[in-house]
Amino acid sequence: MNVLLDNFALFREGFFGTVELTALSGAIALVLGVVIAAFRVSPVPPLRYFGAAWVTLLRNTPLTLLFFIAVLVLPRLGMNSWSFFQLAVLALSCYTSAFICEAVRSGINTVPLGQAEAARSLGMTFTQTLRMIILPQATRTVLPPIGSLLIALAKNSAIAGGFSVFELFSVQKTLSEQGYNIFLLFLWVAIAYLIITFFISAVFRFLETRLAVAR
């Protein structure tokens, strides 16, 4: 307990750093994922090709490699004013968006095709059909996988600690260099991650309950 109490300010800073990194990356990934999923089911071929390329490229690229690209390559391409934190958010959100896209697309595929055909017969555009008919029904299906993906995002954020972003993993590195017991450090860091993941799970369980349809 002394390890935590003696360095509480440092643990608190790392905890909120991980929370901020997860929240921002998750919000951007959700928006990007829905947009890319819309591209993938779009009747416009170039958008479908772009969506397929985005998912294929990012899902098959290691996250650590994306961090190297974000931190080492992008600043040389004119993004040198971005902080390491912003670049970490970019890498995490783009990577996670590819998985969220596929979860959303799977949810869209569970909605009967007749719903979209009925909407078109009423004169609704593709965007209106997707926004007002398809996505509201698909939401119930995609909540569990998206919750799992955001939990994975919280754990993946630890990679940012190796790229000058201060979060929970950075706390462990800093204190282990000062000679603290590494087992106790990993124990407290693991508990902090558990708190974050339990909170995400609780939020999505609440949403699933609220959106559940009586059968």
Side-chain angles (χ1 to χ4, degrees), residues 33-34 37-38 99-109 135 138 142 146:
V34 172
F99 295 90
I100 289 179
C101 164
E102 289 301 276
V104 173
R105 188 169 71 95
S106 298
I108 290 173
N109 289 336
L135 286 179
V142 303
I146 287 180

Side-chain angles (χ1 to χ4, degrees), residues 1-206:
M1 182 63 76
N2 289 341
V3 174
L4 176 64
L5 296 178
D6 293 344
N7 302 280
F8 185 76
L10 197 64
F11 273 100
R12 181 181 58 194
E13 184 182 354
F15 179 82
F16 284 112
T18 296
V19 169
E20 185 180 7
L21 191 60
T22 302
L24 288 175
S25 301
I28 296 172
L30 283 171
V31 174
L32 266 177
V34 172
V35 171
I36 299 299
F39 285 0
R40 295 215 65 187
V41 297
S42 169
V44 182
L47 293 181
R48 290 202 306 272
Y49 299 150
F50 177 84
W54 179 278
V55 170
T56 302
L57 179 64
L58 291 175
R59 288 184 72 188
N60 292 286
T61 301
L63 180 55
T64 305
L65 179 58
L66 288 182
F67 267 92
F68 275 113
I69 294 172
V71 173
L72 301 178
V73 177
L74 293 184
R76 299 188 179 187
L77 299 178
M79 297 176 65
N80 48 8
S81 62
W82 287 44
S83 66
F84 286 120
F85 180 85
Q86 291 171 322
L87 292 171
V89 168
L90 179 65
L92 283 168
S93 57
C94 288
Y95 179 79
T96 307
S97 71
F99 295 90
I100 289 179
C101 164
E102 289 301 276
V104 173
R105 188 169 71 95
S106 298
I108 290 173
N109 289 336
T110 63
V111 179
L113 185 60
Q115 303 254 356
E117 293 175 346
R120 282 196 297 268
S121 69
L122 294 173
M124 297 177 70
T125 64
F126 170 76
T127 303
Q128 290 174 326
T129 302
L130 195 65
R131 179 172 57 87
M132 301 172 65
I133 306 296
I134 306 299
L135 286 179
Q137 297 181 71
T139 299
R140 301 185 185 95
T141 305
V142 303
L143 278 177
I146 287 180
S148 298
L149 290 171
L150 292 183
I151 288 173
L153 168 62
K155 293 182 285 189
N156 286 339
S157 67
I159 297 177
F163 293 88
S164 302
V165 178
F166 195 82
E167 43 74 68
L168 282 169
F169 183 71
S170 303
V171 175
Q172 178 272 321
K173 287 198 306 179
T174 301
L175 294 181
S176 63
E177 291 171 357
Q178 295 178 14
Y180 284 91
N181 187 306
I182 193 167
F183 173 78
L184 294 177
L185 292 176
F186 274 119
L187 174 64
W188 287 115
V189 169
I191 290 172
Y193 276 113
L194 280 174
I195 292 172
I196 295 172
T197 56
F198 281 160
F199 176 77
I200 296 173
S201 297
V203 169
F204 276 84
R205 279 198 302 270
F206 172 76

